[in-house]
Amino acid sequence: MEKFDVEDRWPELFAQLDATQRNAVRQSLAAGWHEGFEPTREDVENVTDLARGAIDFREYRRRGHAAARRVAGPVPAGR
């Protein structure tokens, strides 16, 4: 991602947010992006769902852990 354009890429995820929520989501994702994080649609959906109250923090963490496990792959037994 050469420029930070999450709202342009996935406008449907921002449609239900008010201006304050939209700004908070953009700011939190931009902070990571400046450090090298490239948010996926799934990442943006999780943050927007949390911001609009569709999920609670426990579900947000569950989703994040599930995504991390998918990326990391299987962990050998004994670890």
Side-chain angles (χ1 to χ4, degrees):
M1 173 183 295
E2 291 189 24
K3 69 176 193 165
F4 185 74
D5 61 354
V6 292
E7 195 167 357
D8 293 335
R9 286 180 184 223
W10 304 292
E12 70 281 4
L13 299 178
F14 290 83
Q16 295 181 24
L17 301 179
D18 63 28
T20 302
Q21 293 167 325
R22 179 177 269 123
N23 186 53
V25 168
R26 277 195 314 262
Q27 293 300 316
S28 65
L29 292 169
W33 180 74
H34 283 292
E35 296 297 322
F37 171 66
E38 294 209 13
T40 65
R41 186 188 190 288
E42 180 182 20
D43 297 323
V44 176
E45 181 176 15
N46 291 340
V47 175
T48 56
D49 283 353
L50 180 64
R52 67 186 176 87
I55 61 173
D56 61 13
F57 191 71
R58 174 181 263 165
E59 175 62 11
Y60 176 78
R61 285 186 50 148
R62 187 200 66 74
R63 290 181 183 187
H65 289 158
R69 283 191 297 275
R70 284 194 306 276
V71 170
V75 175
R79 287 197 179 185

